[in-house]
Amino acid sequence: MEFMGAPRLMIVSDLDSTMVDHADHESKSLLRFGALWQAEYNHDSLLVFSTGRSPTLYFELRSEVPLLTPGIAIMSVGTEIMYGDTMTPDYGWVEELSQGWDRSAVVEVANEMQLKYQCDSEQRPHKVSFHVKKEESVHVIPMLTQKLEARGLNIKLIYSGGLDLDVLPKAAGKGQALAYLLRKLKSEGRSPAQTLVCGDSGNDAELFSVPGVRGVIVGNAQEELLHWHEQHVGDKSHIFCATERCAAAIIQAMEHFDIQPNLSPRDRPVPRTVHDKLAPKADAISVAHEVVEYLMLLEQWLRGDVEGTDEVFNRLKFSLAEDSNRVCAWGILENPHEHINCLRHHHGSQKGKLFHIWADRVRSVRLSDDTWLVRFDKWERSDKALTCALTTSLLQANKDFPNGVYWKFIHETWLSGYEGTVPIRKI
Amino acid sequence: MVGLLRFCLWQQAQYPLAVSSVRTSRKAVLLGGAYLPPTHPLLSNWKFRNVQWMVTTTRRRRRVRESRCGTVKEEEEEDSSSTAGVMGASPIQLLLVSDLDSTMVDHTDPYHTALLRFNNLWAAEYAHNSLLVYSTGRSPHKYEELHQQVPLLTPSIGIFSVGTEILYGSSLEPDQGWVSLLDDGWDRGVALKELQRFTNLRMQDASEQRPHKISCQVDSKDAQDIMKKLSERLQDCGLKVKIVFSHGIDLDVLPQRAGKGEALAYLLQKMRSKGQIPQNTLVCGDSGNDIELFLVEGVRGVIVGNALPELVEWYKEHGKNKDKIFQATERCASGILQSLQHFSLGPHLSPRDRMGLNGIDSPILPSESRNGRPAMHGCAQREVVEFNTLFEKWINAEVPNNAETFQRLTRVIARGSTMVYPWGVEQSLVDSVSSAQPKYGIMKDNKLRTWIDCIQEQKLADEIFLVTWHSWQISAGGEKKGYFATAILRTKEGMPNGVEWVRVHETARK
């Protein structure tokens, strides 16, 4: 069910301090972007993460913040490309990188210079990574470059964050990886209609140079990237310097470049009744909206971010068909209405606490004129736990509901490694 | 399906032992949960918490409705809206009422081969239009014990404690009408006092002492004498009781109107009053306390091949009405299967029987189905059972190891279909099934046994079916695991059952 066509929009974004704001422990803007993506774009667009992190650190990040699942992950500063849910590596890219690359030679030279290595997980087949202080970088970088080239190696050095130095094959790098990806997509007839790249630091500079893309430099960008932007010669109209931080900047850029739609479901109240929306019809988008909005409303109810009235509660309750069934991840078969009735008394129970519910990998298949099969991951995060339930659901067209559909069936299983331990709400 | 793939892919899975109960959202229950098809007449008029899988069509239940203004109304309601579903208004094809110990369950066979054949046939061909009823001397507690040890299906109705308890649904609601009937002429305290005068009567366990049953043990040489004397004593006390001796040792004192036969007659009467008589009723037994079942009017009966002398003797003396009673040659559930064929009550060949080392016989084509189902009706359900059966046999090396046989599994998986496994992984279904091919016979020395319970098929749209079931497996080590399973299938021409698999999702039971 993963989208395999030509994307309407491709977003290529750095992670640390671009998609992910480490200064915000609630990850508000990331959740806003996530809701927008799942509701409006996941079904026909492509999300690509391009990060300096190695796979190990990438997976670590995923368990720390509410990060979406990308269609493609470019890791280790553009030296590793992995596709889809199964994270299948791109071996063609590996081959391209191997030309003129000799890892052991790099290590030898680095040892001679007594450079400080980053941790083991960051040392990858086509990446050797060090920590170099800003003051020292001025002479270390040219010297290292010279020594490696003297050995006949085809390398490039990338310095970012005022600390991280990566030695990569010349053909590597975020920009090259993106260019490779675009070539590949083109050859498969999957060229994106538009591409937006997003970055904050030195190793993102190349992204903006890839022909045909638009770019956003986030409001909290590092000096080195701003400096690059200043120094850059030529037409810069395709680059937007945002004022907002991180993922909020990406949404800002979408507004700036008039990439529609760009209003996140989290930025407006959840429609309560069918009158709140014009002519609802059941299609892939409205089905995705229903999933995203329903989970949002659940979160808002429990956090007390929405009033505890009958109107809101009924929206939660009656969107579930009376004869619907749910196999909850605890291994219990239940009537969803009973579960919702219990929830009534938990309005605001999570007020003031870290608590979020969000949907990821929302994918739908139209089974018939009025029935949709939707699979999604239902994530829930609190101070105590991060849990995820793989969910299969059936939604059926119904004109009485804001998104034109209601829930007929839900079946959940805990995602391996993210099992719930204690029911947050009593069943 | 899950357990089989699990063994193929992860042979060291660690799962907690599954409990064999279905938990409602209100309270934990003792038994495996009962399943009544929604049109069943017995579902009306009393509080019944139905937690069957999917509401298919007409459903009668108590509903709490909240109006938009927030006032709460309770309504007793019959929902007669017709939705595309399995049962519709179709009658009950077969009411099968069976004793458990040594009838449905063969205690001499640790692998329960015959019972698994029966389960397999029931799930594939009868679950959607027939009722399974257990009528046992066991108390609910002892039944639950048995259910933990043995691959028993969930019955629609349980008649326990030698016909003194009729229990419905997963919340085990007692039939109040039956309780009232039994209270008449019964005083447990008085009966117990009289019993205790007889020194050669020994009391059975506490779990066997039930509101309308007092259970003792007596040596068979004393039995006749004690029964006569006790009967007289209790009559003198003004009680109306019956005394049943069975298995050469058990003595039960019950209200006169109790008994397996009486309970069945009561149920049939109730169905009659709703205009829902089953087309056929088959009773199955092996011992003294089953005699009454055979005496109920209008039923057919099978005496299993291993029946006790007390029943065989009775048959020789009284049951010569050979049209109605069949003495099977085979043991236990095999005898029941024999009788299905003997009386032409419906299909008698399960997928298990049709798939073996001689190959896979083609299934009964939908159009040839005897039960008059419309062409595509029940096919998705049968596909689920057949698929799972073949998979089990593949890893047990009980079918030929060739591409043709394995293809039966791969050809029915739609492209792009996916599966969520209970250990929290989602994968392409094509890949998963294909990866099982080299695993032929990995369980041949340590056979894995699986069965499907509470299977239900719902038509979501012209070409789309939702099938839900409880999947169980037991390894030779005796470890039992259960899963809630859901599958979406779509019609496809040329497939063995006319459908292909689109999505499967399984969750381990709590």
Side-chain angles (χ1 to χ4, degrees), chain B residues 228-443:
Chain B
K228 187 158 174 288
K229 290 200 179 120
L230 185 57
S231 174
E232 281 164 12
R233 279 273 342 136
L234 293 174
Q235 208 167 23
D236 291 343
C237 294
L239 299 185
K240 295 185 220 163
V241 302
K242 81 191 326 168
I243 303 173
V244 179
F245 180 63
S246 62
H247 295 95
I249 188 161
D250 293 331
L251 191 89
D252 297 304
V253 180
L254 325 166
Q256 193 169 65
R257 296 165 86 165
K260 291 185 168 191
E262 279 81 347
L264 176 57
Y266 169 82
L267 282 175
L268 285 170
Q269 175 55 34
K270 237 190 169 121
M271 291 188 206
R272 199 172 292 129
S273 69
K274 310 281 178 203
Q276 277 277 327
I277 302 260
Q279 289 206 10
N280 287 294
T281 303
L282 177 71
V283 302
C284 325
D286 79 304
S287 72
N289 67 15
D290 299 320
I291 289 172
E292 313 169 17
L293 287 175
F294 295 96
L295 292 173
V296 174
E297 201 180 310
V299 310
R300 307 242 179 94
V302 51
I303 296 175
V304 292
N306 55 299
L308 289 174
E310 66 213 25
L311 182 58
V312 179
E313 288 301 318
W314 170 84
Y315 173 64
K316 286 196 179 127
E317 279 179 57
H318 302 106
K320 283 300 184 180
N321 188 352
K322 293 217 166 54
D323 287 346
K324 296 282 188 177
I325 301 181
F326 170 64
Q327 192 175 10
T329 52
E330 301 201 21
R331 291 180 65 84
C332 300
S334 289
I336 301 178
L337 292 173
Q338 267 186 313
S339 71
L340 289 175
Q341 181 179 21
H342 174 87
F343 290 121
S344 297
L345 295 173
H348 64 277
L349 281 180
S350 68
R352 273 191 190 279
D353 297 323
R354 288 190 270 111
M355 297 174 177
L357 286 164
N358 294 326
I360 305 172
D361 290 341
S362 54
I364 301 164
L365 292 174
S367 55
E368 291 170 10
S369 157
R370 286 190 231 222
N371 298 334
R373 302 196 287 249
M376 290 306 296
H377 225 236
C379 290
Q381 189 168 313
R382 190 191 290 127
E383 171 61 25
V384 168
V385 179
E386 279 186 10
F387 189 100
N388 279 274
T389 306
L390 181 56
F391 211 105
E392 178 199 307
K393 285 181 177 263
W394 182 264
I395 63 172
N396 287 338
E398 289 167 351
V399 282
N401 182 7
N402 57 38
E404 195 195 325
T405 305
F406 195 77
Q407 217 208 0
R408 165 62 178 91
L409 293 173
T410 49
R411 62 190 283 231
V412 288
I413 310 289
R415 272 183 57 213
S417 57
T418 50
M419 173 159 182
V420 176
Y421 292 91
W423 53 90
V425 165
E426 189 170 338
Q427 283 185 20
S428 144
L429 198 48
V430 172
D431 291 344
S432 311
V433 173
S434 304
S435 71
Q437 186 159 19
K439 315 275 180 160
Y440 177 85
I442 54 167
M443 298 300 291

Side-chain angles (χ1 to χ4, degrees), chain A residues 224-267:
Chain A
E224 69 221 11
L225 185 61
L226 294 169
H227 183 74
W228 170 86
H229 181 249
E230 236 177 285
Q231 300 294 323
H232 183 77
V233 172
D235 183 18
K236 291 192 269 198
S237 63
H238 64 288
I239 302 178
F240 170 62
C241 291
T243 51
E244 302 210 30
R245 290 177 66 83
C246 302
I250 303 180
I251 297 180
Q252 218 188 358
M254 288 171 76
E255 286 164 17
H256 172 86
F257 290 118
D258 199 29
I259 298 173
Q260 299 273 4
N262 51 51
L263 180 62
S264 168
R266 280 190 180 259
D267 293 333

Side-chain angles (χ1 to χ4, degrees), chain A residues 50-329:
Chain A
S50 183
T51 174
R53 289 186 176 236
S54 65
T56 311
L57 286 191
Y58 168 68
F59 286 114
E60 234 180 69
L61 184 64
R62 293 194 66 81
S63 60
E64 291 165 12
V65 296
L67 199 57
L68 293 185
T69 299
I72 301 174
I74 305 175
M75 293 169 284
S76 310
V77 202
T79 62
E80 296 182 81
I81 301 180
M82 296 192 183
Y83 298 96
D85 291 344
T86 47
M87 297 285 273
T88 313
D90 186 332
Y91 296 109
W93 183 235
V94 168
E95 246 186 76
E96 280 197 32
L97 294 183
S98 299
Q99 325 218 346
W101 171 254
D102 181 351
R103 198 181 193 282
S104 45
V106 174
V107 168
E108 250 182 70
V109 170
N111 289 343
E112 274 169 28
M113 290 177 64
Q114 294 189 330
L115 293 179
K116 187 162 169 254
Y117 284 90
Q118 290 182 20
C119 60
D120 284 343
S121 69
E122 297 314 284
Q123 311 308 331
R124 304 294 294 165
H126 295 89
K127 168 167 152 320
V128 191
S129 296
F130 311 96
H131 283 311
V132 175
K133 295 204 190 107
K134 221 171 181 168
E135 319 80 72
E136 294 170 8
S137 66
V138 187
H139 64 265
V140 161
I141 290 176
M143 177 150 54
L144 183 57
T145 312
Q146 188 204 26
K147 287 195 177 214
L148 291 172
E149 278 171 0
R151 292 257 198 146
L153 297 179
N154 231 354
I155 46 87
K156 82 196 311 177
L157 267 63
I158 298 187
Y159 185 64
S160 57
L163 185 64
D164 298 327
L165 181 68
D166 301 302
V167 180
L168 321 169
K170 198 159 199 145
K174 289 189 175 189
Q176 264 86 329
L178 177 56
Y180 169 83
L181 190 60
L182 285 168
R183 278 197 310 273
K184 191 165 185 172
L185 287 172
K186 185 169 181 186
S187 72
E188 292 169 7
R190 292 184 65 196
S191 286
Q194 345 183 36
T195 305
L196 177 68
V197 304
C198 328
D200 79 302
S201 70
N203 67 14
D204 299 318
E206 308 174 16
L207 287 175
F208 296 97
S209 310
V210 174
V213 309
R214 286 160 160 169
V216 51
I217 295 177
V218 295
N220 54 301
Q222 302 256 359
E223 204 195 288
E224 69 221 11
L225 185 61
L226 294 169
H227 183 74
W228 170 86
H229 181 249
E230 236 177 285
Q231 300 294 323
H232 183 77
V233 172
D235 183 18
K236 291 192 269 198
S237 63
H238 64 288
I239 302 178
F240 170 62
C241 291
T243 51
E244 302 210 30
R245 290 177 66 83
C246 302
I250 303 180
I251 297 180
Q252 218 188 358
M254 288 171 76
E255 286 164 17
H256 172 86
F257 290 118
D258 199 29
I259 298 173
Q260 299 273 4
N262 51 51
L263 180 62
S264 168
R266 280 190 180 259
D267 293 333
R268 55 172 166 75
V270 174
R272 313 285 172 76
T273 68
V274 70
H275 306 294
D276 293 338
K277 273 208 176 173
L278 299 167
K281 57 179 167 100
D283 58 14
I285 295 181
S286 60
V287 159
H289 269 263
E290 177 59 21
V291 172
V292 171
E293 286 170 10
Y294 193 89
L295 294 188
M296 254 176 62
L297 194 57
L298 263 181
E299 175 196 300
Q300 288 171 355
W301 179 267
L302 292 169
R303 284 175 59 118
D305 287 344
V306 76
E307 64 275 17
T309 59
D310 281 346
E311 191 199 23
V312 177
F313 182 71
N314 288 339
R315 165 68 169 100
L316 283 173
K317 177 163 175 173
F318 293 103
S319 302
L320 308 167
E322 267 193 86
D323 58 353
S324 61
N325 279 280
R326 175 172 175 235
V327 178
C328 74

Side-chain angles (χ1 to χ4, degrees), chain A residues 1 85 310 313-315 317-318 322-325 327-335 338-339 341 344 361 363 365-371 373-377 390-394 396 401 408-409 411-417 419 427, chain B residues 21-26 49 51-55 59 61 63-71 79 83 416 418 420-426 458 460-464 466 468 470 484-486 488 490 502-510:
Chain A
M1 282 191 223
D85 291 344
D310 281 346
F313 182 71
N314 288 339
R315 165 68 169 100
K317 177 163 175 173
F318 293 103
E322 267 193 86
D323 58 353
S324 61
N325 279 280
V327 178
C328 74
W330 305 108
I332 297 170
L333 175 62
E334 64 176 19
N335 179 332
E338 291 213 355
H339 179 231
N341 284 338
R344 176 114 221 202
R361 297 198 295 161
R363 298 177 192 152
V365 169
R366 185 168 214 163
L367 295 177
S368 74
D369 279 343
D370 65 351
T371 309
L373 166 65
V374 188
R375 61 87 49 223
F376 59 94
D377 300 341
L390 298 169
T391 309
T392 298
S393 63
L394 287 172
Q396 210 163 62
F401 295 94
K408 288 290 274 184
F409 180 72
H411 188 155
E412 301 169 353
T413 298
W414 292 122
L415 174 63
S416 176
E419 295 84 358
I427 295 171
Chain B
S21 58
V22 171
R23 184 144 138 193
T24 67
S25 46
R26 277 189 188 158
R49 191 78 214 122
V51 291
Q52 71 186 77
W53 260 101
M54 291 296 298
V55 176
R59 178 166 175 165
R61 60 201 161 103
R63 231 186 254 165
V64 174
R65 192 191 296 274
E66 287 183 20
S67 74
R68 303 280 164 179
C69 319
T71 58
D79 172 14
T83 58
T418 50
V420 176
Y421 292 91
W423 53 90
V425 165
E426 189 170 338
Q458 183 187 2
L460 296 178
D462 272 343
E463 298 187 349
I464 310 287
L466 174 69
T468 56
H470 302 179
F484 288 111
T486 292
I488 298 195
R490 178 168 52 205
V502 172
R503 170 96 171 163
V504 185
H505 190 143
E506 282 170 323
T507 302
R509 292 170 77 112
K510 193 170 194 317

